């Protein structure tokens, strides 16, 4: 009988499959622990795909190998009956490898979940934990009696269980329902904490790195409820507004950058489980078990084992120690450790890891951020009460136009129908085309030459273009971000608009030229904007900031949480800044906040961990 796979290939696979895949599993663990932290700094699709594949393959490789070791021990076909000692030695050392796979299933500290949906599958991981532990125990029992590696196997088994439990517990704590419920249990008096801990320590002027980290952690503890659409108190709003209204755009960016890093690590890494007393104890036990296993294996008589298997075992042991050493380094030099140590002593700047670990991924520059920050600060000055804040949040460009009606009241009124009388997505496309037409017209006519002295209008000219392009990018390429804002019709409108533009170039009849398409309306709008001269760039730049802030405040919170793991976006920073400046409608009095949390907690069952 002819088989599609030659016998020689099948024999090689049968001999080396377990050895090859377990080394492959170790390589995946090393890759993930080293590379995973970079995903919060890049939106490169190939990098994200590569990380996703490694994340999936890591679980598959470990699970497959445990199952294959078990099935191989049960399968006597093809085994050399005359070499029982060799077969027994293979079974013993492969049973010793099984706990290493539990260690791998526990995953590295730097990535426990690839997406928020992975956290919601914590119950599946709990079931997998039970089945994999039982499978590993079964593999070990099959080699008893006569297993000379029973001591190191048992010790390694403890370390593997600890790591797997760590991951499962992390997924549970990062699931949105558990995360929301935890807010009730840990709601401190933030206003009192601020006055005692920060008011006298944080001086005016440029913030030091230690202050950045501690302020970011402090505001993270307050505003992490935004992730699950929780209600915040008026006291928290007032305290946050006071701080961010008095800071520079650079300091605000630095604080929020680290704050978003805290959000990322809570949702996608083991930080919640590791950074506490219990976590430190179990992490020490896990590392001690690996080191003890290495010592025990070193003193075992290994003459019956194949030389390659012995080298493989040392590779697994040293690899596990290396991965734990990296995890320990990350643990000691993390922002969380800086915050913990700062509670007990003043740390000199030289003692910190100074790099701010979060950067947004799309078209960010200092001048643009300064402009956005100033615009939102100006709005925050108007939003003294919640009613006014809500009005500002609901504005889609009309607020800034109405605010600037003093000098050009009639002309401004002509622009309002292009905002108030149409949907958000159509308004976005319409104003994008109008902005592009104005931009290209001024560029061609050389009215805004970069070499001219009018630096202010030159900046607004470029800001308008950047923000206009960015909003179209969100509409077309980030539909999940905009779905709550435009109800899913924005992309359809965009592609319809493209077809209309093609038709307008193909058909030259007067009727086609005068059609009531988005393109025709945009041309009319561009002409109206040209009436303002250079001031149109002041109007357009402020308009696009308002369009961006509307989208930011109306996106689903979990969409923002997803973005922090994919390089981040400008819209997420704007969302967080608006919350800090009180430009949000998620504020109530303190008593009502706690009542809301109690209601949300009803029905939750705390039966796990």
């Amino acid at each position: 009988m002819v088989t599609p796979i030659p016998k020689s290939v099948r024999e090689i696979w049968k001999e080396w499959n377990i050895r090859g895949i377990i080394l492959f599993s170790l390589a995946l663990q090393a890759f993930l622990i080293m590379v995973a932290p970079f995903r919060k700094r890049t939106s490169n699709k190939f990098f994200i795909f590569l990380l996703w594949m490694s994340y999936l393959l890591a679980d598959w490789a470990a699970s497959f190998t445990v199952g294959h070791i078990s099935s191989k021990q049960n399968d006597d076909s093809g085994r050399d009956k005359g070499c029982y000692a060799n077969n027994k030695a293979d079974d013993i050392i492969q049973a010793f490898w099984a706990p290493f796979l539990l260690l791998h299933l526990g995953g590295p500290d730097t990535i426990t979940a690839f997406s928020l949906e992975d956290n919601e599958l914590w119950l599946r991981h709990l079931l997998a934990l039970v089945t994999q532990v039982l499978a590993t125990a079964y593999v070990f029992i099959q080699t008893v009696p006569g297993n000379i590696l029973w001591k190191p196997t048992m010790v390694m088994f403890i370390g593997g269980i600890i790591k797997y439990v760590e991951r499962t517990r992390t997924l549970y704590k990062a699931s949105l329902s558990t995360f929301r419920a935890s807010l009730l249990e840990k709601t401190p008096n933030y206003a009192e904490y601020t006055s005692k801990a920060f008011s006298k320590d944080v001086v005016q002027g440029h913030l030091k790195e230690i202050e950045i980290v501690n302020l970011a952690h402090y505001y993270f503890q307050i505003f992490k409820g935004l992730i699950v659409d929780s209600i915040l108190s008026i006291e928290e709003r007032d305290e946050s507004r006071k701080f961010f209204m008095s800071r520079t755009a650079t300091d605000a960016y630095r604080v929020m950058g680290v704050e978003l890093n805290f959000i990322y690590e809570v949702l996608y890494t083991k930080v919640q489980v590791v950074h506490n007393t219990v976590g430190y104890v179990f992490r020490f036990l896990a590392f001690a078990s690996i080191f003890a296993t290495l010592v025990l294996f070193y003193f075992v008589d290994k003459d019956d084992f194949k030389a390659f298997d012995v080298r493989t075992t040392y590779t697994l042991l040293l690899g596990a120690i290396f991965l734990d050493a990296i995890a320990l380094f990350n643990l000691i030099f993390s922002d969380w450790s800086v915050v913990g140590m700062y509670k007990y002593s003043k740390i000199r700047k030289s003692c910190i890891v100074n790099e701010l670990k979060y950067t947004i991924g799309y078209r960010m520059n200092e001048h643009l951020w300064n402009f956005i920050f100033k615009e939102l600060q100006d709005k925050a000055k108007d939003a003294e009460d919640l009613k006014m804040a809500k009005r500002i949040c609901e504005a889609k460009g009309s607020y800034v136009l109405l605010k600037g009606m003093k000098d050009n009241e009639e002309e401004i009124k002509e622009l309002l129908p292009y905002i108030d009388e149409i949907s958000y997505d159509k308004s976005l496309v319409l104003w994008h085309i109008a902005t592009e037409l104005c931009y290209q017209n001024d560029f061609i006519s050389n009215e805004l030459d970069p070499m001219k002295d009018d630096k202010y209008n030159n900046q607004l000219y470029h800001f308008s273009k950047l923000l206009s392009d960015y909003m179209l990018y969100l509409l077309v390429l980030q539909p999940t971000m905009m779905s709550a804002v435009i109800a899913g019709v924005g992309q359809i409108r965009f592609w319809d608009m493209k077809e209309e533009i093609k038709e307008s170039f193909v058909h030259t009849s007067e009727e086609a030229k005068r059609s009531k398409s988005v393109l025709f309306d945009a041309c009319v709008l561009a002409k109206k904007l040209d009436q303002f001269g250079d001031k149109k760039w002041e109007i357009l730049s402020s308009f696009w900031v308002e369009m961006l802030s509307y989208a930011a405040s109306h996106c689903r919170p979990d969409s923002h949480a997803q973005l922090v793991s994919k390089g981040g976006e400008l819209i997420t920073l704007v969302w967080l800044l608006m919350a800090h400046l009180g430009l949000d409608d998620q504020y109530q009095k303190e008593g009502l906040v706690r009542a809301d949390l109690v209601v949300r907690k009803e029905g939750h069952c705390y039966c796990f961990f």
Side-chain angles (χ1 to χ4, degrees):
M1 179 179 179
V2 179
T3 59
I5 303 176
K7 183 178 179 181
S8 59
V9 175
R10 285 186 281 122
E11 289 296 327
I12 293 173
W13 170 251
K14 188 174 182 179
E15 178 69 18
W16 294 100
N17 55 7
I18 293 176
R19 297 169 174 86
I21 295 178
I22 198 170
L23 291 173
F24 177 60
S25 178
L26 177 63
L28 287 172
Q29 295 299 311
F31 176 80
L32 287 173
I33 199 169
M34 298 292 290
V35 173
F38 292 100
R39 71 177 180 140
K40 61 188 173 185
R41 304 175 195 170
T42 179
S43 56
N44 183 277
K45 291 184 178 180
F46 177 74
F47 176 85
I48 298 296
F49 173 77
L50 190 63
L51 190 65
W52 174 70
M53 285 294 295
S54 302
Y55 176 81
L56 294 180
L57 284 172
D59 282 355
W60 168 83
S63 300
F64 172 85
T65 309
V66 171
H68 210 65
I69 291 173
S70 175
S71 63
K72 187 175 181 181
Q73 288 181 347
N74 290 326
D75 183 15
D76 290 330
S77 62
R79 295 170 78 99
D80 191 345
K81 305 301 182 182
C83 299
Y84 175 79
N86 290 339
N87 294 332
K88 182 68 173 179
D90 284 353
D91 289 345
I92 288 173
I93 201 161
Q94 289 176 6
F96 178 45
W97 293 343
F100 286 92
L101 297 165
L102 287 180
L103 205 69
H104 295 175
L105 285 168
D109 288 6
T110 53
I111 179 169
T112 52
F114 183 81
S115 64
L116 288 180
E117 290 76 13
D118 294 327
N119 294 324
E120 305 305 317
L121 300 177
W122 67 267
L123 198 58
R124 179 184 297 180
H125 280 270
L126 178 61
L127 179 62
L129 167 63
V130 174
T131 56
Q132 292 296 336
V133 167
L134 290 176
T136 303
Y138 175 73
V139 166
F140 171 69
I141 292 171
Q142 293 237 85
T143 63
V144 177
N147 187 341
I148 61 173
L149 295 178
W150 73 271
K151 288 182 180 179
T153 302
M154 292 295 292
V155 174
M156 194 64 208
F157 193 60
I158 295 171
I161 291 177
I162 290 174
K163 284 298 184 73
Y164 207 163
V165 169
E166 274 184 353
R167 182 184 183 187
T168 308
R169 186 166 179 246
T170 297
L171 293 171
Y172 166 74
K173 290 177 73 67
S175 63
L176 295 183
S177 58
T178 307
F179 191 87
R180 182 182 294 112
S182 68
L183 297 178
L184 178 62
E185 300 171 353
K186 300 178 180 179
T187 307
N189 187 332
Y190 290 114
E192 180 181 354
Y193 181 70
T194 301
S195 61
K196 291 182 178 180
F198 286 104
S199 297
K200 61 182 180 181
D201 291 335
V202 179
V203 296
Q204 293 298 317
H206 186 73
L207 292 174
K208 299 177 182 178
E209 298 296 336
I210 185 67
E211 293 172 329
I212 292 289
V213 174
N214 280 279
L215 284 164
H217 181 261
Y218 166 68
Y219 285 114
F220 160 73
Q221 292 294 342
I222 297 177
F223 287 90
K224 65 183 179 181
L226 292 174
I227 300 170
V228 288
D229 210 18
S230 183
I231 303 298
L232 303 175
S233 73
I234 297 295
E235 291 80 3
E236 292 164 349
R237 176 183 187 266
D238 293 342
E239 192 279 321
S240 176
R241 268 171 54 88
K242 181 180 179 181
F243 174 79
F244 280 89
M245 289 294 286
S246 65
R247 305 312 307 185
T248 64
T250 301
D251 280 344
Y253 176 80
R254 294 164 73 206
V255 170
M256 290 192 300
V258 182
E259 187 179 352
L260 288 170
N261 183 64
F262 283 127
I263 292 175
Y264 165 80
E265 291 186 337
V266 161
L267 294 176
Y268 300 101
T269 73
K270 288 185 180 179
V271 70
Q272 284 197 88
V273 170
V274 174
H275 277 279
N276 53 65
T277 303
V278 176
Y280 298 148
V281 170
F282 280 100
R283 180 51 58 92
F284 172 78
L285 290 175
F287 182 79
S289 69
I290 297 172
F291 187 78
T293 301
L294 175 62
V295 174
L296 289 170
F297 182 75
Y298 180 79
F299 288 105
V300 167
D301 182 10
K302 296 176 278 292
D303 291 341
D304 291 338
F305 303 124
K306 296 175 182 177
F308 183 84
D309 288 349
V310 173
R311 289 194 292 269
T312 298
T313 305
Y314 276 121
T315 301
L316 292 172
L317 284 165
L318 295 175
I321 291 174
F322 171 73
L323 294 178
D324 261 24
I326 294 176
L328 179 62
F329 178 85
N330 291 335
L331 180 68
I332 294 173
F333 293 99
S334 70
D335 291 339
W336 299 86
S337 296
V338 172
V339 171
M341 289 185 288
Y342 190 71
K343 293 179 181 178
Y344 304 103
S345 63
K346 301 292 184 182
I347 307 173
R348 291 187 302 175
K349 183 178 178 180
S350 59
C351 296
I352 304 171
V353 179
N354 286 328
E355 179 188 6
L356 299 182
K357 301 178 178 62
Y358 184 87
T359 56
I360 62 172
Y362 182 83
R363 286 194 179 184
M364 188 59 183
N365 64 62
E366 182 181 356
H367 298 297
L368 177 60
W369 174 249
N370 288 342
F371 174 71
I372 293 171
F373 184 78
K374 180 64 168 56
E375 286 285 308
L376 293 177
Q377 264 192 336
D378 289 343
K379 287 187 176 183
K381 292 175 184 176
D382 299 338
E384 291 296 333
D385 58 78
L386 294 182
K387 185 177 180 180
M388 192 61 187
K390 184 175 179 64
R391 178 188 168 190
I392 293 173
C393 287
E394 293 301 320
K396 298 176 286 186
S398 58
Y399 182 82
V400 289
L401 293 182
L402 290 169
K403 194 174 180 181
M405 281 178 62
K406 297 177 182 178
D407 299 330
N408 306 84
E409 184 173 349
E410 293 301 320
E411 291 86 349
I412 290 290
K413 282 184 177 179
E414 292 182 8
L415 301 179
L416 293 178
Y418 294 92
I419 300 172
D420 297 333
E421 297 179 8
I422 57 178
S423 62
Y424 177 85
D425 60 296
K426 184 174 181 179
S427 176
L428 191 156
V429 174
L430 183 69
W431 282 78
H432 170 76
I433 299 173
T435 302
E436 188 67 26
L437 290 172
C438 291
Y439 180 88
Q440 295 298 334
N441 182 57
D442 282 12
F443 180 80
I444 293 172
S445 63
N446 206 30
E447 289 185 12
L448 283 172
D449 193 323
M451 300 303 294
K452 292 172 69 174
D453 294 333
D454 194 357
K455 184 178 180 182
Y456 177 70
N457 277 310
N458 268 294
Q459 281 191 332
L460 298 182
Y461 167 77
H462 292 295
F463 294 162
S464 300
K465 168 68 171 172
L466 284 172
L467 290 170
S468 173
D469 288 351
Y470 181 69
M471 292 307 298
L472 191 69
Y473 154 78
L474 291 177
L475 179 69
V476 179
L477 298 179
Q478 294 286 355
T480 55
M481 282 298 299
M482 301 291 280
S483 60
V485 184
I486 60 176
V489 299
Q491 281 188 309
I492 298 174
R493 195 182 304 278
F494 174 75
W495 296 115
D496 286 346
M497 179 205 70
K498 284 189 64 176
E499 293 302 318
E500 287 179 358
I501 293 174
K502 289 180 182 178
E503 288 294 320
S504 68
F505 283 109
V506 173
H507 301 288
T508 58
S509 65
E510 199 65 25
E511 182 180 352
K513 290 181 180 179
R514 296 181 181 275
S515 65
K516 289 294 182 181
S517 65
V518 175
L519 179 61
F520 178 80
D521 291 339
C523 292
V524 174
L525 175 58
K527 287 185 177 181
K528 292 182 182 295
L529 287 166
D530 277 331
Q531 297 175 5
F532 293 90
D534 285 350
K535 190 177 179 182
K536 67 175 174 285
W537 297 115
E538 185 177 338
I539 293 171
L540 283 168
S541 57
S542 296
F543 167 84
W544 283 115
V545 171
E546 191 159 295
M547 289 289 277
L548 174 59
S549 59
Y550 178 87
S553 62
H554 287 75
C555 285
R556 294 193 306 269
D558 60 316
S559 297
H560 289 294
Q562 288 277 21
L563 284 179
V564 299
S565 68
K566 299 177 181 178
E569 285 287 353
L570 172 59
I571 190 173
T572 299
L573 270 176
V574 171
W575 165 70
L576 189 57
L577 178 60
M578 290 179 70
H580 282 311
L581 292 173
L583 296 174
D584 206 312
D585 58 359
Q586 292 184 247
Y587 292 97
Q588 293 179 6
K589 291 185 178 180
E590 184 67 33
L592 293 175
V593 174
R594 294 192 65 82
D596 173 76
L597 288 171
V598 169
V599 170
R600 289 172 183 265
K601 186 180 177 182
E602 290 297 322
H604 287 285
C605 180
Y606 298 97
C607 58
F608 182 62
F609 299 111

